[in-house]
Amino acid sequence: MQKSKLQFKIQNLKYDEKGLIPAIIQDYKSGEVLMMAYMNRQALRQTLATGKTHFYSRSRKKLWLKGETSGHIQKVKEVRFDCDGDCLLIKVEQRGGACHMGYRSCFYRKLRDKEGHIKVVYRKIFEPKEVYKR
Amino acid sequence: MQKSKLQFKIQNLKYDEKGLIPAIIQDYKSGEVLMMAYMNRQALRQTLATGKTHFYSRSRKKLWLKGETSGHIQKVKEVRFDCDGDCLLIKVEQRGGACHMGYRSCFYRKLRDKEGHIKVVYRKIFEPKEVYKR
C-alpha cells in the first residue's frame, strides 16, 4: 500500500448544481452496500464531526441524522472519495437495518432475468410499522 | 432467503430530471466498490442485452461501453436496485482496473483525519498514459 500525506482539501469535493454529493454506504466488515443517499456540505461536516452519518433529504428538504427515528445509526469507520471527487464511499458499522422497508440493505432485490422477474435476496429484520410509528 | 417471482417493471425505475440513474459498481467476489457512474434507459438496456456495463457520460453527452478504450470491461454478474427504485447496484467481474487513474477502484483515497489529510489505499495497476494513448 502506498502512503501519502497530501493535504486533501475537502472544499474541493464536487457538489452538483443542487449542492449535493452522492454517498455510498458500505458495511465496513461484510462489504455489503447498504444504501445510497445524498449529502450537502453541512451533512458531510456533521458526519465528520459526530462520526454518525447525516444526509440531506431531497424530499423533505432538510438535514437528517440516519437512525434518528429508528435508532438504526451508522457509525463511520472510513471515508473515501473517488477520482473525480464527486462521489463518497463511507464504510460504517450499521446498527439494525439501513432500509426503511425493514431490510439490512436497501438493495434487497435483484433482477432474475431479462424479462424483469425479481428475487428478494435479504430477509426482513424489522417491521417498519413498529419502528417508524413515532 | 426469501423467494419472489414478482414481476418487476424495469420501466418503473426512477430516473432523474436528466433521465439518469446512478449505478454503483461492485466487484462480485471481493465486494470492493469499484466506481459509480450514471446510466440512462439506453445504457441500462445495452448493459442487460450485452452483459457488459454501459454508461451515459454527462461530459461527453454520449453512451459508452466501459472498457471500450482500455479493454477494462465489466462483465455483469448481478443487477440489484434499491427500495426507492432510484439507484442500481451492479456486481461485476472487472477486467483490469475500473479507474482511469490506473487503480482497480476509483475510491483509492481515504480521509485520514478531520484536517483532511489523505492516504492512498490502492496500488496503481496500470499506467493511464499507456492505456489511453489511442
Side-chain angles (χ1 to χ4, degrees):
Chain A
M1 292 294 151
Q2 292 172 38
K3 279 182 189 176
S4 166
K5 258 191 126 176
L6 296 169
Q7 179 78 23
F8 172 72
K9 298 207 172 57
I10 216 162
Q11 296 89 331
N12 289 352
L13 284 175
K14 288 180 208 145
Y15 295 80
D16 68 12
E17 62 282 4
K18 291 172 188 156
L20 302 177
I21 187 168
I24 301 163
I25 309 300
Q26 185 179 30
D27 184 293
Y28 84 111
K29 270 193 183 163
S30 69
E32 290 163 283
V33 175
L34 299 173
M35 59 182 278
M36 202 280 272
Y38 293 86
M39 290 187 176
N40 59 7
R41 284 176 179 80
Q42 194 193 352
L44 178 56
R45 253 198 315 270
Q46 285 279 92
T47 296
L48 295 177
T50 62
K52 293 171 186 167
T53 57
H54 289 67
F55 301 101
Y56 180 80
S57 166
R58 296 175 296 170
S59 52
R60 291 179 287 145
K61 298 192 197 314
K62 60 177 273 226
L63 198 76
W64 56 289
L65 163 66
K66 171 69 188 167
E68 65 189 351
T69 305
S70 63
H72 298 167
I73 295 288
Q74 295 171 338
K75 197 172 158 192
V76 175
K77 293 288 187 177
E78 200 177 304
V79 176
R80 296 199 189 176
F81 52 95
D82 74 349
C83 45
D84 297 325
D86 62 3
C87 187
L88 297 168
L89 171 64
I90 303 186
K91 302 196 180 214
V92 303
E93 184 180 328
Q94 171 73 59
R95 194 184 297 168
C99 183
H100 73 293
M101 296 296 285
Y103 299 92
R104 181 157 177 85
S105 165
C106 293
F107 298 94
Y108 60 91
R109 295 171 294 181
K110 72 168 188 178
L111 279 183
R112 284 180 56 222
D113 52 43
K114 290 177 187 175
E115 283 69 53
H117 293 100
I118 66 157
K119 183 177 175 177
V120 174
V121 291
Y122 275 84
R123 203 185 295 272
K124 241 184 185 176
I125 55 170
F126 68 88
E127 198 44 66
K129 272 182 287 185
E130 288 167 19
V131 167
Y132 296 106
K133 65 188 167 193
R134 279 176 281 179
Chain B
M1 293 293 152
Q2 292 173 38
K3 278 182 188 176
S4 167
K5 256 191 127 178
L6 296 169
Q7 178 78 23
F8 171 71
K9 297 207 175 54
I10 216 162
Q11 296 90 329
N12 290 350
L13 284 174
K14 288 181 207 143
Y15 295 80
D16 68 12
E17 61 282 2
K18 292 172 186 155
L20 302 177
I21 186 168
I24 302 164
I25 308 300
Q26 184 179 32
D27 185 293
Y28 84 111
K29 270 193 183 163
S30 68
E32 291 163 282
V33 175
L34 299 172
M35 60 183 277
M36 201 281 271
Y38 293 86
M39 291 186 175
N40 59 7
R41 284 177 178 79
Q42 194 193 351
L44 178 56
R45 253 198 315 269
Q46 285 280 91
T47 297
L48 295 177
T50 63
K52 293 170 185 167
T53 58
H54 289 67
F55 302 100
Y56 180 80
S57 166
R58 296 175 298 170
S59 53
R60 291 179 288 145
K61 299 193 197 312
K62 60 177 273 226
L63 198 76
W64 57 290
L65 163 67
K66 171 70 188 168
E68 64 189 350
T69 304
S70 63
H72 298 167
I73 295 288
Q74 295 171 336
K75 198 171 157 194
V76 176
K77 293 289 187 176
E78 200 176 304
V79 177
R80 296 199 189 175
F81 51 95
D82 75 350
C83 45
D84 296 326
D86 62 3
C87 186
L88 296 168
L89 171 64
I90 303 186
K91 301 196 179 212
V92 303
E93 184 180 328
Q94 172 73 58
R95 193 185 296 169
C99 183
H100 74 292
M101 297 295 285
Y103 299 91
R104 181 156 178 84
S105 165
C106 293
F107 298 94
Y108 60 90
R109 296 171 293 181
K110 71 168 188 179
L111 279 183
R112 284 181 55 223
D113 52 43
K114 290 177 187 176
E115 284 69 53
H117 293 100
I118 65 157
K119 182 176 176 178
V120 173
V121 291
Y122 275 84
R123 202 185 295 274
K124 240 182 186 178
I125 54 170
F126 67 88
E127 198 43 67
K129 272 183 287 186
E130 287 167 20
V131 167
Y132 296 104
K133 66 188 168 192
R134 279 175 283 180

